[in-house]
Amino acid sequence: MKLLVLALILSFSTIANAQPGLEKQAPFIDVMTFGVGAVVFEKFGHAAICVRYHDEHRDPMCFNFGVTDFHEGAPMIWSFLRGRQEFWVEPLTFAGMMAFYEAEDRDIFVQTLPLTEAQARAVEIKLWASLEGPDSRYHYDHFSENCTTRIRDVVNEATEGKLAVGGDAEYPLTYRELGARGYASAPPLVAIADFVFGRSLEDHPTVWEAMWNPATFRTVIEQRRGAV
């Protein structure tokens, strides 16, 4: 947590330089996904989306939709597990994001989305606008409203719904199987998940719904959008 605070402090000093005025060319849009971490809210990985400019003097800026008050302790964890914890979006420089997850020794994947100029511009405008207003905050839900689904929705909107095409097909894994890697290292989490979610864990999500999981989202945007 101290590393994250330091990264945020360093980032805020450069955010003012990154905000639009928009460049004449639309920026590159990168999706970052991360492997699982040690604590309960890191058990399913994480995702962020970044705006990377052509001007080398402008810092690439990432938008993290997985921010909450992590100092609340046990009440936060219980609220988090029940889908009642308020989360919000905060900007962080690409360097700050990389430094934090490298320090935690977690897998890091970066995929540049193959977007048109208009699509990339739409993502850029949407992300900066997300820092204010009612859409900046939401109640976290593991399977329907989390740091990854927020990015999924931004990308889908910018591509005129192309990411959602075929998304109503059944995904081959159940919700439980999708979360198995995270559960495996924390047996108490299995019991809590069974208590909170019950038999719904045995359901198969659609492909669209399965993109709540950062690893699934990474695979889908590679297969369907060519984001290597």
Side-chain angles (χ1 to χ4, degrees):
M1 184 57 65
K2 288 181 180 179
L3 285 167
L4 179 57
V5 170
L6 177 59
L8 285 169
I9 291 172
L10 292 173
S11 285
F12 287 149
S13 66
T14 61
I15 287 172
N17 293 327
Q19 294 187 45
L22 304 178
E23 289 185 323
K24 290 182 179 180
Q25 290 178 283
F28 301 102
I29 304 298
D30 299 324
V31 169
M32 301 183 76
T33 47
F34 308 94
V36 300
V39 296
V40 63
F41 41 81
E42 298 173 339
K43 287 300 180 183
F44 303 104
H46 186 49
I49 185 167
C50 307
V51 177
R52 179 163 46 90
Y53 295 100
H54 296 267
D55 182 353
E56 63 182 16
H57 297 104
R58 299 185 73 181
D59 291 297
M61 193 59 57
C62 299
F63 294 79
N64 177 10
F65 288 88
V67 180
T68 191
D69 185 356
F70 294 105
H71 297 290
E72 292 180 359
M76 183 277 293
I77 294 175
W78 181 234
S79 181
F80 169 82
L81 289 170
R82 293 185 299 159
R84 298 183 181 179
Q85 184 70 14
E86 187 177 57
F87 275 64
W88 55 87
V89 57
E90 284 187 357
L92 182 66
T93 62
F94 182 87
M97 188 75 72
M98 287 289 290
F100 177 73
Y101 286 97
E102 285 177 343
E104 288 207 333
D105 195 27
R106 290 167 67 177
D107 295 337
I108 302 171
F109 301 85
V110 181
Q111 295 166 280
T112 300
L113 297 177
L115 302 175
T116 66
E117 288 266 322
Q119 291 169 346
R121 184 71 80 200
V123 172
E124 177 190 22
I125 292 171
K126 180 76 172 178
L127 290 175
W128 283 113
S130 72
L131 299 179
E132 299 179 356
D135 290 339
S136 64
R137 290 176 175 265
Y138 66 99
H139 286 94
Y140 186 101
D141 181 277
H142 302 279
F143 303 133
S144 64
E145 195 78 29
N146 66 19
C147 60
T148 309
T149 65
R150 287 255 153 169
I151 296 169
R152 175 201 65 188
D153 294 349
V154 168
V155 173
N156 187 59
E157 181 180 338
T159 58
E160 298 86 36
K162 290 181 180 178
L163 187 62
V165 173
D168 55 350
E170 183 178 273
Y171 195 74
L173 301 180
T174 65
Y175 283 101
R176 184 185 297 280
E177 290 167 334
L178 276 169
R181 184 182 176 193
Y183 289 142
S185 61
L189 193 57
V190 177
I192 294 172
D194 285 340
F195 174 76
V196 173
F197 300 110
R199 296 193 177 196
S200 64
L201 289 174
E202 307 304 332
D203 293 341
H204 284 262
T206 64
V207 172
W208 175 258
E209 292 166 338
M211 283 188 274
W212 69 267
N213 182 288
T216 303
F217 181 56
R218 178 173 65 246
T219 299
V220 171
I221 62 174
E222 179 173 17
Q223 292 177 344
R224 296 193 170 191
R225 304 303 305 150
V228 178

